[in-house]
Amino acid sequence: MPLLLQNVNFGDGEAIANIYISAFFDDPFQRTLFPDMLFEKQVAGVISRWPNNYIDISACYKKVVDTESGEIVGYSKWTFAFTVAGEVLKEPRGK
């Protein structure tokens, strides 16, 4: 499974939501925050917030793609919180 690091596109929101909830769904803290909430409903919540999260210019999203299947297998979100570095170091969208 050769992997490739790429920039995230807006259309990747559903895959990222599934990865995120899959990673934390059984976490005790997550269970406390969202008791009895189904996996699908949690994914839908992340998807609904994706447009606002994606346009945050202080955040940089990267994805890891399995080059054989084309499937997104992981992602990261980098942000410079509580600093002006995000304004200086932000990467332009569309690259």
Side-chain angles (χ1 to χ4, degrees):
M1 166 173 41
L3 302 174
L4 184 62
L5 182 67
Q6 298 178 337
N7 290 326
V8 167
N9 299 311
F10 183 76
D12 297 325
E14 184 176 346
I16 286 174
N18 275 288
I19 291 168
Y20 176 76
I21 297 303
S22 293
F24 295 105
F25 185 71
D26 291 323
D27 180 75
F29 185 70
Q30 184 83 353
R31 289 273 190 208
T32 301
L33 289 175
F34 306 104
D36 303 320
M37 185 180 287
L38 297 175
F39 179 89
E40 294 78 13
K41 187 166 183 175
Q42 289 186 39
V43 169
V46 175
I47 291 170
S48 73
R49 293 186 298 277
W50 176 243
N52 287 332
N53 291 334
Y54 183 77
I55 65 168
D56 178 2
I57 62 169
S58 70
C60 179
Y61 287 90
K62 298 289 184 181
K63 62 185 174 184
V64 177
V65 177
D66 175 351
T67 58
E68 291 176 355
S69 69
E71 180 182 4
I72 300 173
V73 296
Y75 83 97
S76 66
K77 176 185 178 183
W78 295 80
T79 185
F80 294 95
F82 309 112
T83 179
V84 295
E87 293 299 316
V88 176
L89 300 175
K90 68 183 177 191
E91 181 176 335
R93 296 283 184 209
K95 278 183 87 179

